[in-house]
Amino acid sequence: MYVFGGALHLFLLVQFSVQDYPFRNVSLSWDVRVEDLVGRLTLDEMTLQMAKGGAGQNGPAPAIPRLGIGPYQWDTECLHGSVKHNATSYPQSIGLAATWSYDTIRTTAKAIAEDVRAIHNEAVKTGNYSSLTGLGCFSPVINIMRDPRWGRNQETYGEDPFLNGMLAKAYVKGLQGDHPRYVRANAGCKHFNVHGGPDNIPSSRWSFDSKVSMRDWRTTFLPAFRHCVEAGTYSLMCSYNSINGVPACANKELLTDILRTEWGFKGYVVSDEAAIEGISGGHNYTNNSVACAAAAISAGCNLELADPRNDKETFMSIPDAVHQGFITEDLVRDRVKPLFYTRMRLGEFDPPELNPYTFINTSVINDQAHRDLALEVAMKSFVLLKNNGVLPLKKPIYNNIAVVGPTADAAYLISGDYAALPDPRFVTTPRQALQSLASHVNYVKGCNDTRCYGYDSNSIKMAVKGVDVAFIFIGLGILIEAEGNDRADIQLPGYQQQLIEDVVNNCGEAEVILVSLNAGPVNITWADQNPKVSAILAVFYPGQAIGVAIKNVLTSSNQPQFGRLPYTWYHTENQVPDMVNYTMVNRTYRYFTGEPLYPFGYGLTYTSFGYRDLILNDTVNAGEELLGSVTVDNTGNTKGDEVIQIYLVFRSPSVTSPKIQLVNFTRVTIPKGGTTNVDFSISPQNMAVYTEDKGWVVEPDIITVYVGGQQPGQKKTAATQVLSKTVQISNYKILGFY
């Protein structure tokens, strides 16, 4: 572990004598300042700055006292809250995706960044540069949810490249802020690229080679990251896996040819933790640390996030790689520049009074505004999968209710992985919130935890006898799905299915409401098809406000509520190929040919929506934007949120293309009896197909545009409509490779 007491003291003594260095001159351009600073560094100093990007003994990047430069901690996680800190806990990413709301994601990211900045400012004041105190967030995660069994599905924004890309853009902009000079906290989109399982079943992520066609790479795995770069992210994280035999963190085609040359990325690439060691140790791509460091730096890596158990980072071999002629010192210097550019834009080298973000303090942490936001976002993220009319509940209070199941009162389960640790005063579990719904509440877990190896059937049967309403809380949690923890199938674990059946078969005439806490789908076909299960609600991992949020949406329609599924909810794992198969055949709604339990984009509300007056031009010139509008009416008895989904189908593309694809969406709140007119557009990029020789092209074809509250033609439908119109694409336009 680095000890910075002496270095920090020397830094404080020296800083007053270095104010005249050009890199501290705020009147100069950023590039001039970066050139000046990095030009003053020795090879050994640059090595330490690139090697010390990790946790524990692998960070922070040490101070450079002779230049008055302090330490800097790169290892920070803020996926849906400031990880492992007392901070507001928002819904896990898959729940954020279920909101289908650009504005919601951007607002949430802004709030997260305020906590991150507050914690950082306080840490710097006290000379604390330990892990998770920096401003460089390793988030968002925008890998495609390509397999329902992957343990990290909860960290993603679902299965669609466009939805992922738009929500990633919202997160980046919300996190980084819109100040013309300074960045609140910087984003780091991960994991780049072709990463989406396995972690441990049936193969290890440390050595897995994702074999992918160029078509699938370009059309499925790259697009969201391109949107992230377009949004201005300062960083990307390269992934553990190889791509067609080349480790991602040593992949020049990925990190230089595509990322920097095609997309114009100017930021830094950080490795996933221990991914650079894995170039040699897992993938056997190189045979020593010198060659490994040279391969990563040559490919485009800037910063190593090493295994905390490793007392010598691979990048500490940079001087040997230079001296042995594998890389040049000039290349090393170029790789260091984005690191200091980022630190400059965060405000480190400017007078604090110029940067408004330096004045954010810990009073923002779980303040009323953040707590209110956590509640609102949770309600918007829940997806109502089934409702026979029982919801919203008709009585303000019942005589007897039962609250049963392993996720009903488990505070440690509600936020999922990579979570903040909010003050317990601001955390409500479902059991705590639902107690006010009845004069008497029977609570029984049934299982010790979500694995449900041991099950007390009798206690469940007794708890539900004679009640008016039985609430069942099932699900997974990080015991079953998490980083490094895939599932072999999507069946309910242990005896959870038996628990559901015991409730249904022993509750008499009670209404049965099933609430599921999980990221990836679980097989609840039996409950969906059983008429005695009155309602099913998917809540994912909604964070600290879960209890109040659930009570609110179950009892009232007079507030924002309900999202839509950001992925296909399959019946069983047999509907998809093996996880190690990286073709997109029969994966995600864009290629799936079967019938799911619940389709992508599906979700019910407490009202109904009608669509009319779809306006689109009959033709569009290749390379131009297609503009349209539609009118949406709330035809039900209460206000509600509608997610307007716009899909495109090519009639006769010249190459293999998705059978259908999302090309735009927006979420609107419409009052009872209200009407909303929505303007939308379809970009040329979303009307293009990928060709091997020319890249993306918009070609002459007839496309059908579908506009509505769900996918067209799905068997399980919500109380909404879908309109369609055919449009002729005229002429031919090469958009190129991107």
Side-chain angles (χ1 to χ4, degrees):
M1 173 73 73
Y2 266 74
V3 179
F4 287 101
L8 183 60
H9 177 67
L10 181 58
F11 160 66
L12 293 172
L13 291 175
V14 172
Q15 63 175 330
F16 298 107
S17 65
V18 298
Q19 296 303 318
D20 57 346
Y21 281 141
F23 71 79
R24 293 189 180 275
N25 186 341
V26 297
S27 68
L28 298 177
S29 70
W30 297 114
D31 288 344
V32 169
R33 295 175 67 185
V34 170
E35 288 287 342
D36 176 72
L37 190 161
V38 175
R40 297 176 186 276
L41 303 181
T42 67
L43 179 59
D44 287 342
E45 287 170 336
M46 291 189 292
T47 296
L48 283 167
Q49 295 300 311
M50 295 176 67
K52 296 294 182 179
Q57 64 186 338
N58 302 124
I64 309 174
R66 68 183 182 87
L67 298 178
I69 296 173
Y72 186 75
Q73 177 59 251
W74 293 98
D75 181 47
T76 299
E77 301 280 1
C78 37
L79 190 63
H80 55 118
S82 189
V83 173
K84 294 185 179 179
H85 285 286
N86 173 16
T88 311
S89 175
Y90 297 95
Q92 172 62 295
S93 296
I94 196 67
L96 293 177
T99 69
W100 283 65
S101 173
Y102 182 99
D103 291 340
T104 297
I105 305 302
R106 184 165 182 166
T107 302
T108 304
K110 175 180 180 291
I112 292 169
E114 289 171 348
D115 282 359
V116 169
R117 176 61 86 155
I119 291 165
H120 170 78
N121 290 346
E122 184 67 22
V124 170
K125 284 180 185 177
T126 60
N128 175 13
Y129 295 92
S130 59
S131 293
L132 305 176
T133 61
L135 295 171
C137 292
F138 298 154
S139 51
V141 174
I142 52 173
N143 298 114
I144 297 300
M145 184 178 167
R146 53 175 287 278
D147 193 289
R149 296 160 289 198
W150 187 36
R152 303 191 76 171
N153 283 327
Q154 62 178 282
E155 301 174 45
T156 75
Y157 291 145
E159 70 181 34
D160 182 74
F162 181 77
L163 181 65
N164 262 269
M166 293 302 99
L167 299 185
K169 184 175 289 189
Y171 183 95
V172 170
K173 289 186 176 295
L175 194 78
Q176 296 185 170
D178 53 8
H179 192 276
R181 182 174 182 85
Y182 298 110
V183 176
R184 186 165 36 225
N186 73 274
C189 300
K190 64 181 187 181
H191 308 82
F192 198 53
N193 187 247
V194 198
H195 185 61
D199 262 28
N200 68 318
I201 298 175
S203 302
S204 169
R205 64 180 179 171
W206 301 107
S207 57
F208 183 71
D209 183 14
S210 304
K211 297 186 184 300
V212 62
S213 70
M214 183 57 71
R215 178 172 307 284
D216 284 340
W217 196 6
R218 292 281 186 174
T219 59
T220 295
F221 298 105
L222 286 174
F225 287 91
R226 175 173 56 83
H227 287 300
C228 192
V229 171
E230 290 174 350
T233 186
Y234 278 68
S235 176
L236 276 80
M237 176 182 282
C238 55
S239 52
Y240 288 120
N241 54 287
S242 286
I243 302 170
N244 296 330
V246 182
C249 292
N251 198 307
K252 179 179 178 294
E253 181 180 17
L254 176 69
L255 302 183
T256 295
D257 298 346
I258 294 174
L259 179 60
R260 289 185 167 89
T261 303
E262 289 185 15
W263 297 353
F265 179 67
K266 303 297 184 186
Y268 65 92
V269 174
V270 59
S271 72
D272 205 341
E273 188 172 272
I276 286 179
E277 293 104 309
I279 294 171
S280 293
H283 297 285
N284 298 314
Y285 187 73
T286 57
N287 57 15
N288 59 65
S289 63
V290 175
C292 184
I297 291 166
S298 297
C301 278
N302 305 83
L303 184 66
E304 180 179 8
L305 183 64
D307 187 334
R309 298 166 296 183
N310 188 346
D311 60 2
K312 182 182 178 182
E313 301 86 1
T314 301
F315 273 11
M316 291 302 291
S317 297
I318 287 174
D320 289 336
V322 171
H323 297 148
Q324 294 177 33
F326 288 106
I327 53 176
T328 66
E329 186 170 331
D330 285 344
L331 178 60
V332 175
R333 203 169 298 277
D334 283 343
R335 293 290 185 253
V336 173
K337 289 176 182 176
L339 302 179
F340 281 101
Y341 175 77
T342 301
R343 290 170 66 173
M344 283 186 182
R345 295 301 301 272
L346 289 165
E348 181 178 346
F349 303 110
D350 287 8
E353 60 270 17
L354 296 181
N355 181 0
Y357 300 135
T358 62
F359 299 101
I360 299 176
N361 60 52
T362 54
S363 67
V364 304
I365 293 176
N366 245 320
D367 64 10
Q368 190 64 54
H370 286 188
R371 299 200 305 272
D372 290 346
L373 179 63
L375 174 60
E376 176 189 340
V377 177
M379 291 188 292
K380 287 182 175 179
S381 73
F382 298 162
V383 178
L384 185 61
L385 299 173
K386 178 182 180 180
N387 185 20
N388 68 0
V390 66
L391 298 180
L393 294 171
K394 305 303 185 287
K395 295 181 179 180
I397 190 164
Y398 292 84
N399 291 327
N400 296 285
I401 65 171
V403 179
V404 303
T407 63
D409 198 35
Y412 72 97
L413 290 176
I414 63 177
S415 292
D417 215 351
Y418 285 94
L421 301 174
D423 188 319
R425 292 177 301 162
F426 306 129
V427 177
T428 58
T429 67
R431 177 199 180 187
Q432 291 169 337
L434 295 179
Q435 284 179 334
S436 62
L437 291 183
S439 303
H440 184 75
V441 179
N442 298 332
Y443 165 67
V444 174
K445 287 174 65 175
C447 319
N448 286 336
D449 56 46
T450 53
R451 290 171 292 199
C452 206
Y453 293 149
Y455 171 55
D456 185 353
S457 177
N458 287 333
S459 67
I460 293 292
K461 293 176 181 178
M462 291 297 295
V464 300
K465 286 187 181 298
V467 300
D468 302 304
V469 185
F471 298 94
I472 310 173
F473 287 85
I474 60 167
L476 303 177
I478 58 176
L479 293 172
I480 294 173
E481 58 174 358
E483 180 176 5
N485 194 10
D486 300 326
R487 292 183 289 161
D489 54 49
I490 65 171
Q491 304 307 307
L492 284 168
Y495 287 92
Q496 286 195 38
Q497 175 63 36
Q498 186 63 49
L499 188 156
I500 296 171
E501 294 183 26
D502 283 346
V503 172
V504 169
N505 294 331
N506 291 275
C507 69
E509 299 301 314
E511 302 285 2
V512 177
I513 298 170
L514 180 67
V515 182
S516 184
L517 281 77
N518 49 278
V522 291
N523 185 354
I524 52 173
T525 304
W526 186 89
D528 178 75
Q529 296 177 352
N530 192 297
K532 290 195 66 176
V533 177
S534 307
I536 302 176
L537 187 67
V539 300
F540 311 103
Y541 300 116
Q544 67 184 48
I546 176 176
V548 177
I550 287 176
K551 179 186 174 184
N552 284 356
V553 301
L554 295 182
T555 59
S556 173
S557 59
N558 191 31
Q559 54 202 334
Q561 58 196 8
F562 298 139
R564 308 293 186 270
L565 282 179
Y567 60 77
T568 302
W569 191 305
Y570 303 100
H571 289 273
T572 77
E573 67 281 354
N574 297 325
Q575 291 186 290
V576 295
D578 292 339
M579 196 189 296
V580 296
N581 180 345
Y582 258 78
T583 69
M584 291 307 296
V585 174
N586 224 29
R587 287 195 188 276
T588 77
Y589 80 97
R590 301 199 308 159
Y591 301 98
F592 183 55
T593 57
E595 186 62 36
L597 180 57
Y598 306 111
F600 172 84
Y602 172 78
L604 306 174
T605 70
Y606 291 154
T607 189
S608 57
F609 299 98
Y611 284 71
R612 57 186 170 86
D613 300 332
L614 174 60
I615 298 174
L616 281 168
N617 288 336
D618 294 330
T619 62
V620 61
N621 199 39
E624 294 180 355
E625 198 172 39
L626 178 60
L627 303 178
S629 65
V630 71
T631 299
V632 186
D633 301 315
N634 183 338
T635 56
N637 296 318
T638 183
K639 79 172 184 179
D641 285 11
E642 174 69 320
V643 175
I644 300 163
Q645 304 168 38
I646 302 168
Y647 296 91
L648 181 149
V649 173
F650 296 104
R651 176 172 295 183
S652 53
S654 64
V655 295
T656 301
S657 299
K659 65 184 182 66
I660 187 171
Q661 62 189 40
L662 183 73
V663 293
N664 212 332
F665 63 92
T666 189
R667 178 173 180 144
V668 295
T669 300
I670 309 177
K672 172 185 174 181
T675 294
T676 296
N677 297 310
V678 177
D679 295 325
F680 63 89
S681 63
I682 302 174
S683 69
Q685 289 79 7
N686 279 324
M687 291 183 281
V689 297
Y690 179 75
T691 65
E692 301 289 347
D693 56 340
K694 297 182 180 65
W696 292 92
V697 301
V698 184
E699 56 186 16
D701 196 0
I702 294 176
I703 58 173
T704 302
V705 177
Y706 295 93
V707 180
Q710 58 193 10
Q711 284 188 62
Q714 63 187 44
K715 290 184 178 179
K716 191 180 292 290
T717 62
T720 187
Q721 286 180 279
V722 178
L723 304 181
S724 66
K725 190 176 190 308
T726 58
V727 177
Q728 173 72 58
I729 301 177
S730 301
N731 302 317
Y732 184 90
K733 178 72 173 182
I734 298 174
L735 303 182
F737 292 91
Y738 54 78

